[in-house]
Amino acid sequence: MKLKPYPLLIAAALLLVTNIVTLFLWLKPDASSSMGGMKAGNEVVATVGGDSVTREDWLYSLEQKYGEQELKQLINQKVIEKIAKKYNISVSDEEVNQEYALIRSVYNSFDEEYTEDEETVKNQIKTDLLLEELLTKDVEVSEDEMKSFYEQNEEMYSIPKMYNLKQIKVGDQSEAEQVIKELENGSSFDVLAMERSIDEQSAHLGGEIGYIPANGELLSPEAVEEIDSLKEGKWSKPVKSGSDYAVYLLEGIMKERHYSYDDVKSQIRRQLAIEQVETPLLPEAFWDEADVEWFYGTEQ
């Protein structure tokens, strides 16, 4: 299966920008408010040797760095929704869930593009699928082509059993047992992972390692047996992991599944159709049709 990750990777980067800008705009008080008689825009947010940095300076800098990109993201979302509605194009929740499962089974567990919460990732998947449907709406793909593609790639539409995990990895068993005691006393798993875990890739993510196959190389048979005994939201006892020990938190289980041709027919059609499309996979292709006007002019 040749998944098309590019729209999702671009979107993940934009999601990061969106989160940053949203945070700062959320902090921005109403322009008409005042603090001690001072207009909100002139509120001092930092001083450097007696020189002030105002909220207005701060927000202006943010707008200069992220404003155009953030506005384009918001416009593109509206454009895709508007044009999809115009052509009566929709994407079902089942298709979104299927794409999400396939992505989770393909991408490395430490790909930070996919550490966003499930709802956020699924919303972006839906947007990407709508865009692909729009870009390929006039492309014809025969039933024979789609069936042939499925038969040649059928194994890629099988998803193994996977665990959605967090981990705290430490150097020895006694330290792992101390982690368990702190968890039992009410400590946050995420905080302990950031403070204690020696695994740099997952520690700064609160221990998040994503979806791990039960039959893969990342989990020992002992770890799989222990995790299988857990209920969702519970942590494991210390488990040997190479020369170290790990405490796992089970957040969820993705059951093993094999998708039939009918299950993935729409995805295959998009896959084959996209290969025939010369237009870049960008929402800007529909800006003229959506009659877009924006702050930064007419150039796209």
Side-chain angles (χ1 to χ4, degrees):
M1 178 180 56
K2 298 179 289 182
L3 290 174
K4 294 282 186 178
Y6 310 110
L8 285 167
L9 292 176
I10 293 169
L14 290 175
L15 280 170
L16 177 60
V17 173
T18 301
N19 290 341
I20 293 170
V21 177
T22 300
L23 172 63
F24 286 112
L25 292 180
W26 178 75
L27 291 171
K28 181 181 178 181
D30 185 82
S32 62
S33 67
S34 61
M35 182 177 295
M38 180 181 294
K39 289 185 178 180
N42 293 326
E43 177 190 350
V44 175
V45 294
T47 59
V48 181
D51 294 329
S52 299
V53 178
T54 67
R55 183 177 292 273
E56 185 176 19
D57 297 331
W58 183 27
L59 294 174
Y60 178 76
S61 178
L62 282 170
E63 183 180 346
Q64 293 302 303
K65 289 180 180 179
Y66 306 115
E68 182 173 354
Q69 193 174 24
E70 169 68 5
L71 181 56
K72 180 175 286 189
Q73 171 75 350
L74 294 173
I75 291 171
N76 284 340
Q77 179 70 40
K78 295 282 189 184
V79 166
I80 293 171
E81 292 173 358
K82 183 181 182 68
I83 302 301
K85 186 175 181 180
K86 174 181 177 179
Y87 290 104
N88 198 29
I89 289 174
S90 62
V91 173
S92 69
D93 290 341
E94 184 177 356
E95 287 180 275
V96 172
N97 291 335
Q98 175 183 297
E99 190 79 10
Y100 177 79
L102 289 169
I103 287 172
R104 284 298 188 188
S105 71
V106 170
Y107 284 96
N108 185 284
S109 59
F110 291 110
D111 282 345
E112 292 187 34
E113 290 86 354
Y114 300 105
T115 57
E116 292 279 356
D117 65 273
E118 182 174 329
E119 183 179 359
T120 299
V121 175
K122 285 184 176 180
N123 285 338
Q124 190 56 55
I125 287 173
K126 185 172 184 177
T127 297
D128 290 338
L129 294 185
L130 283 173
L131 176 58
E132 290 181 0
E133 288 285 355
L134 283 168
L135 291 167
T136 61
K137 60 183 174 61
D138 298 321
V139 179
E140 293 186 7
V141 180
S142 71
E143 192 79 17
D144 288 343
E145 286 180 277
M146 291 188 287
K147 285 183 176 178
S148 176
F149 183 90
Y150 178 79
E151 290 167 1
Q152 293 173 28
N153 298 276
E154 185 173 356
E155 74 283 355
M156 303 302 293
Y157 295 104
S158 292
I159 296 176
K161 180 180 180 180
M162 303 182 79
Y163 306 113
N164 186 11
L165 298 172
K166 290 184 178 181
Q167 70 172 6
I168 299 173
K169 187 173 284 190
V170 292
D172 56 56
Q173 186 171 1
S174 63
E175 190 174 356
E177 289 172 350
Q178 180 59 37
V179 166
I180 297 292
K181 288 181 181 178
E182 293 188 40
L183 289 170
E184 290 173 344
N185 288 331
S187 293
S188 162
F189 194 99
D190 291 21
V191 172
L192 281 179
M194 289 187 279
E195 292 178 346
R196 296 286 194 86
S197 183
I198 59 176
D199 183 78
E200 294 182 359
Q201 285 183 297
S202 62
H204 77 286
L205 299 172
E208 181 73 55
I209 58 175
Y211 283 84
I212 307 296
N215 59 356
E217 298 178 357
L218 293 176
L219 295 174
S220 67
E222 293 77 17
V224 171
E225 183 179 359
E226 171 64 14
I227 293 167
D228 267 334
S229 71
L230 299 176
K231 294 182 179 179
E232 290 185 16
K234 299 298 183 179
W235 55 79
S236 71
K237 66 183 182 183
V239 177
K240 195 80 165 65
S241 177
S243 60
D244 305 312
Y245 280 81
V247 176
Y248 296 104
L249 176 68
L250 178 63
E251 296 198 290
I253 296 176
M254 185 179 290
K255 296 181 180 179
E256 181 178 4
R257 179 168 182 182
H258 178 76
Y259 289 102
S260 68
Y261 169 72
D262 287 336
D263 290 331
V264 295
K265 180 177 177 179
S266 294
Q267 185 196 73
I268 292 173
R269 192 207 73 81
R270 286 192 299 269
Q271 175 77 44
L272 297 178
I274 284 171
E275 293 175 0
Q276 301 180 44
V277 174
E278 297 180 359
T279 306
L281 296 177
L282 296 173
E284 286 85 343
F286 297 97
W287 276 32
D288 285 343
E289 189 172 353
D291 194 24
V292 172
E293 297 180 7
W294 70 325
F295 180 79
Y296 293 93
T298 57
E299 294 184 7
Q300 299 168 23

PDB file of all heavy atoms in Angstrom, residues 3 12 15 19 31 36 45 62 68 82 87 95 102 112-113 116 161 172 190 230-231 257 260 265 270 283 285 294:
ATOM      1  N   LEU A   3       0.677   4.687   0.787  1.00  0.00           N
ATOM      2  CA  LEU A   3      -0.075   5.789   1.389  1.00  0.00           C
ATOM      3  C   LEU A   3       0.533   7.109   0.982  1.00  0.00           C
ATOM      4  O   LEU A   3       1.731   7.228   0.761  1.00  0.00           O
ATOM      5  CB  LEU A   3      -0.053   5.673   2.910  1.00  0.00           C
ATOM      6  CG  LEU A   3      -0.863   4.531   3.504  1.00  0.00           C
ATOM      7  CD1 LEU A   3      -0.612   4.471   4.995  1.00  0.00           C
ATOM      8  CD2 LEU A   3      -2.332   4.681   3.224  1.00  0.00           C
ATOM      9  N   ALA A  12       0.174  18.496   9.709  1.00  0.00           N
ATOM     10  CA  ALA A  12       0.662  18.372  11.086  1.00  0.00           C
ATOM     11  C   ALA A  12       1.494  19.571  11.481  1.00  0.00           C
ATOM     12  O   ALA A  12       1.395  20.085  12.600  1.00  0.00           O
ATOM     13  CB  ALA A  12       1.481  17.089  11.226  1.00  0.00           C
ATOM     14  N   LEU A  15      -0.806  22.358  12.081  1.00  0.00           N
ATOM     15  CA  LEU A  15      -1.501  22.198  13.354  1.00  0.00           C
ATOM     16  C   LEU A  15      -0.671  22.742  14.499  1.00  0.00           C
ATOM     17  O   LEU A  15      -1.187  23.350  15.437  1.00  0.00           O
ATOM     18  CB  LEU A  15      -1.799  20.713  13.612  1.00  0.00           C
ATOM     19  CG  LEU A  15      -3.014  20.134  12.883  1.00  0.00           C
ATOM     20  CD1 LEU A  15      -3.033  18.620  13.040  1.00  0.00           C
ATOM     21  CD2 LEU A  15      -4.291  20.742  13.400  1.00  0.00           C
ATOM     22  N   ASN A  19      -1.827  25.720  16.915  1.00  0.00           N
ATOM     23  CA  ASN A  19      -1.881  25.625  18.377  1.00  0.00           C
ATOM     24  C   ASN A  19      -1.141  26.776  19.032  1.00  0.00           C
ATOM     25  O   ASN A  19      -1.597  27.349  20.028  1.00  0.00           O
ATOM     26  CB  ASN A  19      -1.266  24.299  18.837  1.00  0.00           C
ATOM     27  CG  ASN A  19      -2.129  23.115  18.457  1.00  0.00           C
ATOM     28  OD1 ASN A  19      -3.311  23.294  18.175  1.00  0.00           O
ATOM     29  ND2 ASN A  19      -1.557  21.931  18.432  1.00  0.00           N
ATOM     30  N   ALA A  31      -9.478  44.581  23.101  1.00  0.00           N
ATOM     31  CA  ALA A  31      -8.762  45.843  22.908  1.00  0.00           C
ATOM     32  C   ALA A  31      -9.360  46.980  23.712  1.00  0.00           C
ATOM     33  O   ALA A  31      -8.685  47.954  24.046  1.00  0.00           O
ATOM     34  CB  ALA A  31      -8.752  46.205  21.423  1.00  0.00           C
ATOM     35  N   GLY A  36      -5.372  49.288  34.903  1.00  0.00           N
ATOM     36  CA  GLY A  36      -4.797  50.452  35.557  1.00  0.00           C
ATOM     37  C   GLY A  36      -4.794  51.666  34.654  1.00  0.00           C
ATOM     38  O   GLY A  36      -3.876  52.478  34.685  1.00  0.00           O
ATOM     39  N   VAL A  45       4.517  43.104  28.895  1.00  0.00           N
ATOM     40  CA  VAL A  45       4.607  41.662  29.124  1.00  0.00           C
ATOM     41  C   VAL A  45       6.026  41.252  29.497  1.00  0.00           C
ATOM     42  O   VAL A  45       6.252  40.111  29.934  1.00  0.00           O
ATOM     43  CB  VAL A  45       4.147  40.875  27.878  1.00  0.00           C
ATOM     44  CG1 VAL A  45       2.665  41.093  27.627  1.00  0.00           C
ATOM     45  CG2 VAL A  45       4.955  41.264  26.641  1.00  0.00           C
ATOM     46  N   LEU A  62       4.193  37.877  16.477  1.00  0.00           N
ATOM     47  CA  LEU A  62       3.550  36.602  16.171  1.00  0.00           C
ATOM     48  C   LEU A  62       2.850  36.645  14.814  1.00  0.00           C
ATOM     49  O   LEU A  62       2.921  35.706  14.021  1.00  0.00           O
ATOM     50  CB  LEU A  62       2.538  36.247  17.261  1.00  0.00           C
ATOM     51  CG  LEU A  62       3.098  35.691  18.563  1.00  0.00           C
ATOM     52  CD1 LEU A  62       1.999  35.623  19.614  1.00  0.00           C
ATOM     53  CD2 LEU A  62       3.704  34.320  18.351  1.00  0.00           C
ATOM     54  N   GLU A  68       0.343  34.866   8.192  1.00  0.00           N
ATOM     55  CA  GLU A  68      -0.054  34.481   6.840  1.00  0.00           C
ATOM     56  C   GLU A  68      -0.333  32.980   6.758  1.00  0.00           C
ATOM     57  O   GLU A  68      -1.331  32.544   6.182  1.00  0.00           O
ATOM     58  CB  GLU A  68       1.038  34.863   5.844  1.00  0.00           C
ATOM     59  CG  GLU A  68       0.672  34.537   4.396  1.00  0.00           C
ATOM     60  CD  GLU A  68       1.687  35.069   3.403  1.00  0.00           C
ATOM     61  OE1 GLU A  68       2.620  35.790   3.819  1.00  0.00           O
ATOM     62  OE2 GLU A  68       1.554  34.756   2.202  1.00  0.00           O
ATOM     63  N   LYS A  82     -16.510  24.282   1.474  1.00  0.00           N
ATOM     64  CA  LYS A  82     -17.427  24.953   0.533  1.00  0.00           C
ATOM     65  C   LYS A  82     -17.504  24.223  -0.810  1.00  0.00           C
ATOM     66  O   LYS A  82     -18.586  23.957  -1.328  1.00  0.00           O
ATOM     67  CB  LYS A  82     -16.963  26.401   0.318  1.00  0.00           C
ATOM     68  CG  LYS A  82     -17.862  27.244  -0.572  1.00  0.00           C
ATOM     69  CD  LYS A  82     -17.295  28.645  -0.725  1.00  0.00           C
ATOM     70  CE  LYS A  82     -18.190  29.540  -1.572  1.00  0.00           C
ATOM     71  NZ  LYS A  82     -19.462  29.848  -0.896  1.00  0.00           N
ATOM     72  N   TYR A  87     -20.065  20.219  -4.814  1.00  0.00           N
ATOM     73  CA  TYR A  87     -20.069  19.035  -5.668  1.00  0.00           C
ATOM     74  C   TYR A  87     -20.684  17.809  -4.974  1.00  0.00           C
ATOM     75  O   TYR A  87     -20.542  16.693  -5.468  1.00  0.00           O
ATOM     76  CB  TYR A  87     -18.636  18.716  -6.119  1.00  0.00           C
ATOM     77  CG  TYR A  87     -18.099  19.734  -7.100  1.00  0.00           C
ATOM     78  CD1 TYR A  87     -17.181  20.699  -6.684  1.00  0.00           C
ATOM     79  CD2 TYR A  87     -18.516  19.746  -8.426  1.00  0.00           C
ATOM     80  CE1 TYR A  87     -16.675  21.641  -7.576  1.00  0.00           C
ATOM     81  CE2 TYR A  87     -18.021  20.685  -9.329  1.00  0.00           C
ATOM     82  CZ  TYR A  87     -17.106  21.632  -8.889  1.00  0.00           C
ATOM     83  OH  TYR A  87     -16.615  22.566  -9.773  1.00  0.00           O
ATOM     84  N   GLU A  95     -14.825   5.761   6.716  1.00  0.00           N
ATOM     85  CA  GLU A  95     -13.621   5.962   5.899  1.00  0.00           C
ATOM     86  C   GLU A  95     -12.516   6.635   6.703  1.00  0.00           C
ATOM     87  O   GLU A  95     -11.335   6.285   6.587  1.00  0.00           O
ATOM     88  CB  GLU A  95     -13.955   6.817   4.675  1.00  0.00           C
ATOM     89  CG  GLU A  95     -14.757   6.122   3.614  1.00  0.00           C
ATOM     90  CD  GLU A  95     -15.043   7.029   2.431  1.00  0.00           C
ATOM     91  OE1 GLU A  95     -16.036   7.782   2.499  1.00  0.00           O
ATOM     92  OE2 GLU A  95     -14.276   6.996   1.455  1.00  0.00           O
ATOM     93  N   LEU A 102      -5.152   2.549   9.392  1.00  0.00           N
ATOM     94  CA  LEU A 102      -4.079   2.194   8.467  1.00  0.00           C
ATOM     95  C   LEU A 102      -2.843   3.056   8.690  1.00  0.00           C
ATOM     96  O   LEU A 102      -1.710   2.566   8.644  1.00  0.00           O
ATOM     97  CB  LEU A 102      -4.564   2.324   7.021  1.00  0.00           C
ATOM     98  CG  LEU A 102      -5.574   1.256   6.571  1.00  0.00           C
ATOM     99  CD1 LEU A 102      -6.190   1.633   5.237  1.00  0.00           C
ATOM    100  CD2 LEU A 102      -4.920  -0.118   6.490  1.00  0.00           C
ATOM    101  N   GLU A 112       6.336  12.240  15.617  1.00  0.00           N
ATOM    102  CA  GLU A 112       5.633  13.219  16.443  1.00  0.00           C
ATOM    103  C   GLU A 112       4.499  13.895  15.689  1.00  0.00           C
ATOM    104  O   GLU A 112       3.642  14.524  16.284  1.00  0.00           O
ATOM    105  CB  GLU A 112       6.626  14.253  16.988  1.00  0.00           C
ATOM    106  CG  GLU A 112       7.584  13.646  17.995  1.00  0.00           C
ATOM    107  CD  GLU A 112       8.445  14.698  18.662  1.00  0.00           C
ATOM    108  OE1 GLU A 112       7.954  15.819  18.869  1.00  0.00           O
ATOM    109  OE2 GLU A 112       9.603  14.398  18.965  1.00  0.00           O
ATOM    110  N   GLU A 113       4.485  13.759  14.333  1.00  0.00           N
ATOM    111  CA  GLU A 113       3.368  14.329  13.583  1.00  0.00           C
ATOM    112  C   GLU A 113       2.053  13.687  14.005  1.00  0.00           C
ATOM    113  O   GLU A 113       0.988  14.264  13.818  1.00  0.00           O
ATOM    114  CB  GLU A 113       3.557  14.108  12.076  1.00  0.00           C
ATOM    115  CG  GLU A 113       4.677  14.925  11.450  1.00  0.00           C
ATOM    116  CD  GLU A 113       6.027  14.238  11.577  1.00  0.00           C
ATOM    117  OE1 GLU A 113       6.115  13.190  12.239  1.00  0.00           O
ATOM    118  OE2 GLU A 113       6.999  14.757  11.015  1.00  0.00           O
ATOM    119  N   GLU A 116      -0.630  14.054  18.075  1.00  0.00           N
ATOM    120  CA  GLU A 116      -1.815  14.846  18.386  1.00  0.00           C
ATOM    121  C   GLU A 116      -2.917  13.903  18.868  1.00  0.00           C
ATOM    122  O   GLU A 116      -2.911  12.707  18.581  1.00  0.00           O
ATOM    123  CB  GLU A 116      -2.296  15.599  17.135  1.00  0.00           C
ATOM    124  CG  GLU A 116      -1.363  16.706  16.660  1.00  0.00           C
ATOM    125  CD  GLU A 116      -1.538  17.991  17.452  1.00  0.00           C
ATOM    126  OE1 GLU A 116      -2.444  18.042  18.317  1.00  0.00           O
ATOM    127  OE2 GLU A 116      -0.784  18.933  17.196  1.00  0.00           O
ATOM    128  N   LYS A 161      -2.854  -6.635  15.702  1.00  0.00           N
ATOM    129  CA  LYS A 161      -3.275  -6.155  17.016  1.00  0.00           C
ATOM    130  C   LYS A 161      -2.221  -5.166  17.519  1.00  0.00           C
ATOM    131  O   LYS A 161      -1.022  -5.438  17.473  1.00  0.00           O
ATOM    132  CB  LYS A 161      -3.406  -7.318  17.987  1.00  0.00           C
ATOM    133  CG  LYS A 161      -3.838  -6.921  19.394  1.00  0.00           C
ATOM    134  CD  LYS A 161      -3.938  -8.146  20.298  1.00  0.00           C
ATOM    135  CE  LYS A 161      -4.368  -7.785  21.703  1.00  0.00           C
ATOM    136  NZ  LYS A 161      -4.463  -8.974  22.578  1.00  0.00           N
ATOM    137  N   ASP A 172      16.952   0.228  36.323  1.00  0.00           N
ATOM    138  CA  ASP A 172      16.937  -1.043  37.067  1.00  0.00           C
ATOM    139  C   ASP A 172      15.563  -1.293  37.680  1.00  0.00           C
ATOM    140  O   ASP A 172      14.697  -0.417  37.708  1.00  0.00           O
ATOM    141  CB  ASP A 172      18.028  -1.061  38.140  1.00  0.00           C
ATOM    142  CG  ASP A 172      17.919   0.108  39.104  1.00  0.00           C
ATOM    143  OD1 ASP A 172      16.841   0.282  39.720  1.00  0.00           O
ATOM    144  OD2 ASP A 172      18.902   0.859  39.234  1.00  0.00           O
ATOM    145  N   ASP A 190       2.428  11.041  33.159  1.00  0.00           N
ATOM    146  CA  ASP A 190       3.117  11.923  32.209  1.00  0.00           C
ATOM    147  C   ASP A 190       4.278  12.663  32.871  1.00  0.00           C
ATOM    148  O   ASP A 190       5.370  12.762  32.299  1.00  0.00           O
ATOM    149  CB  ASP A 190       2.129  12.943  31.632  1.00  0.00           C
ATOM    150  CG  ASP A 190       1.110  12.311  30.708  1.00  0.00           C
ATOM    151  OD1 ASP A 190       0.900  11.088  30.804  1.00  0.00           O
ATOM    152  OD2 ASP A 190       0.526  13.034  29.882  1.00  0.00           O
ATOM    153  N   LEU A 230      -3.811  -6.151  31.295  1.00  0.00           N
ATOM    154  CA  LEU A 230      -4.212  -4.849  31.824  1.00  0.00           C
ATOM    155  C   LEU A 230      -5.574  -4.406  31.297  1.00  0.00           C
ATOM    156  O   LEU A 230      -5.972  -4.758  30.182  1.00  0.00           O
ATOM    157  CB  LEU A 230      -3.175  -3.782  31.442  1.00  0.00           C
ATOM    158  CG  LEU A 230      -1.743  -3.959  31.946  1.00  0.00           C
ATOM    159  CD1 LEU A 230      -0.852  -2.853  31.371  1.00  0.00           C
ATOM    160  CD2 LEU A 230      -1.700  -3.930  33.472  1.00  0.00           C
ATOM    161  N   LYS A 231      -6.248  -3.592  32.084  1.00  0.00           N
ATOM    162  CA  LYS A 231      -7.409  -2.859  31.615  1.00  0.00           C
ATOM    163  C   LYS A 231      -6.941  -1.500  31.128  1.00  0.00           C
ATOM    164  O   LYS A 231      -5.893  -0.995  31.557  1.00  0.00           O
ATOM    165  CB  LYS A 231      -8.429  -2.689  32.743  1.00  0.00           C
ATOM    166  CG  LYS A 231      -9.056  -3.990  33.219  1.00  0.00           C
ATOM    167  CD  LYS A 231     -10.085  -3.729  34.315  1.00  0.00           C
ATOM    168  CE  LYS A 231     -10.734  -5.028  34.768  1.00  0.00           C
ATOM    169  NZ  LYS A 231     -11.735  -4.790  35.851  1.00  0.00           N
ATOM    170  N   ARG A 257      -7.307  -6.656  12.251  1.00  0.00           N
ATOM    171  CA  ARG A 257      -8.372  -6.590  11.253  1.00  0.00           C
ATOM    172  C   ARG A 257      -7.795  -6.724   9.848  1.00  0.00           C
ATOM    173  O   ARG A 257      -6.695  -6.247   9.573  1.00  0.00           O
ATOM    174  CB  ARG A 257      -9.129  -5.264  11.360  1.00  0.00           C
ATOM    175  CG  ARG A 257     -10.231  -5.141  10.315  1.00  0.00           C
ATOM    176  CD  ARG A 257     -11.170  -4.003  10.550  1.00  0.00           C
ATOM    177  NE  ARG A 257     -12.212  -3.975   9.548  1.00  0.00           N
ATOM    178  CZ  ARG A 257     -13.175  -3.070   9.465  1.00  0.00           C
ATOM    179  NH1 ARG A 257     -13.223  -2.095  10.365  1.00  0.00           N
ATOM    180  NH2 ARG A 257     -14.092  -3.111   8.526  1.00  0.00           N
ATOM    181  N   SER A 260     -11.442  -5.960   3.488  1.00  0.00           N
ATOM    182  CA  SER A 260     -11.787  -6.565   2.203  1.00  0.00           C
ATOM    183  C   SER A 260     -11.671  -5.527   1.090  1.00  0.00           C
ATOM    184  O   SER A 260     -11.499  -4.326   1.346  1.00  0.00           O
ATOM    185  CB  SER A 260     -13.223  -7.092   2.246  1.00  0.00           C
ATOM    186  OG  SER A 260     -14.141  -6.002   2.321  1.00  0.00           O
ATOM    187  N   LYS A 265     -12.153   0.029  -1.254  1.00  0.00           N
ATOM    188  CA  LYS A 265     -12.340   0.388  -2.664  1.00  0.00           C
ATOM    189  C   LYS A 265     -12.213   1.895  -2.891  1.00  0.00           C
ATOM    190  O   LYS A 265     -11.549   2.348  -3.831  1.00  0.00           O
ATOM    191  CB  LYS A 265     -13.703  -0.102  -3.150  1.00  0.00           C
ATOM    192  CG  LYS A 265     -13.999   0.209  -4.597  1.00  0.00           C
ATOM    193  CD  LYS A 265     -15.358  -0.381  -5.003  1.00  0.00           C
ATOM    194  CE  LYS A 265     -15.707  -0.013  -6.433  1.00  0.00           C
ATOM    195  NZ  LYS A 265     -17.013  -0.595  -6.840  1.00  0.00           N
ATOM    196  N   ARG A 270      -9.020   6.611  -4.934  1.00  0.00           N
ATOM    197  CA  ARG A 270      -8.302   7.872  -4.737  1.00  0.00           C
ATOM    198  C   ARG A 270      -6.813   7.701  -5.005  1.00  0.00           C
ATOM    199  O   ARG A 270      -6.180   8.548  -5.634  1.00  0.00           O
ATOM    200  CB  ARG A 270      -8.523   8.382  -3.309  1.00  0.00           C
ATOM    201  CG  ARG A 270      -9.884   8.953  -3.033  1.00  0.00           C
ATOM    202  CD  ARG A 270      -9.920   9.702  -1.712  1.00  0.00           C
ATOM    203  NE  ARG A 270      -9.600   8.835  -0.585  1.00  0.00           N
ATOM    204  CZ  ARG A 270     -10.508   8.156   0.113  1.00  0.00           C
ATOM    205  NH1 ARG A 270     -11.791   8.255  -0.196  1.00  0.00           N
ATOM    206  NH2 ARG A 270     -10.152   7.406   1.131  1.00  0.00           N
ATOM    207  N   PRO A 283      -5.155  22.865  -1.457  1.00  0.00           N
ATOM    208  CA  PRO A 283      -6.485  23.500  -1.510  1.00  0.00           C
ATOM    209  C   PRO A 283      -6.486  24.776  -2.342  1.00  0.00           C
ATOM    210  O   PRO A 283      -7.545  25.181  -2.833  1.00  0.00           O
ATOM    211  CB  PRO A 283      -6.780  23.817  -0.034  1.00  0.00           C
ATOM    212  CG  PRO A 283      -5.884  22.923   0.745  1.00  0.00           C
ATOM    213  CD  PRO A 283      -4.653  22.747  -0.088  1.00  0.00           C
ATOM    214  N   ALA A 285      -5.752  25.224  -5.177  1.00  0.00           N
ATOM    215  CA  ALA A 285      -6.244  24.954  -6.530  1.00  0.00           C
ATOM    216  C   ALA A 285      -7.704  25.363  -6.682  1.00  0.00           C
ATOM    217  O   ALA A 285      -8.182  25.578  -7.795  1.00  0.00           O
ATOM    218  CB  ALA A 285      -6.084  23.466  -6.849  1.00  0.00           C
ATOM    219  N   TRP A 294      -8.275  37.816   0.491  1.00  0.00           N
ATOM    220  CA  TRP A 294      -7.709  37.795   1.838  1.00  0.00           C
ATOM    221  C   TRP A 294      -6.777  38.964   2.063  1.00  0.00           C
ATOM    222  O   TRP A 294      -6.417  39.713   1.158  1.00  0.00           O
ATOM    223  CB  TRP A 294      -7.048  36.463   2.131  1.00  0.00           C
ATOM    224  CG  TRP A 294      -5.766  36.145   1.391  1.00  0.00           C
ATOM    225  CD1 TRP A 294      -5.420  36.486   0.111  1.00  0.00           C
ATOM    226  CD2 TRP A 294      -4.662  35.409   1.925  1.00  0.00           C
ATOM    227  NE1 TRP A 294      -4.186  36.020  -0.201  1.00  0.00           N
ATOM    228  CE2 TRP A 294      -3.679  35.351   0.898  1.00  0.00           C
ATOM    229  CE3 TRP A 294      -4.384  34.788   3.128  1.00  0.00           C
ATOM    230  CZ2 TRP A 294      -2.461  34.689   1.059  1.00  0.00           C
ATOM    231  CZ3 TRP A 294      -3.176  34.141   3.290  1.00  0.00           C
ATOM    232  CH2 TRP A 294      -2.235  34.093   2.273  1.00  0.00           C
TER     233      TRP A 294
END
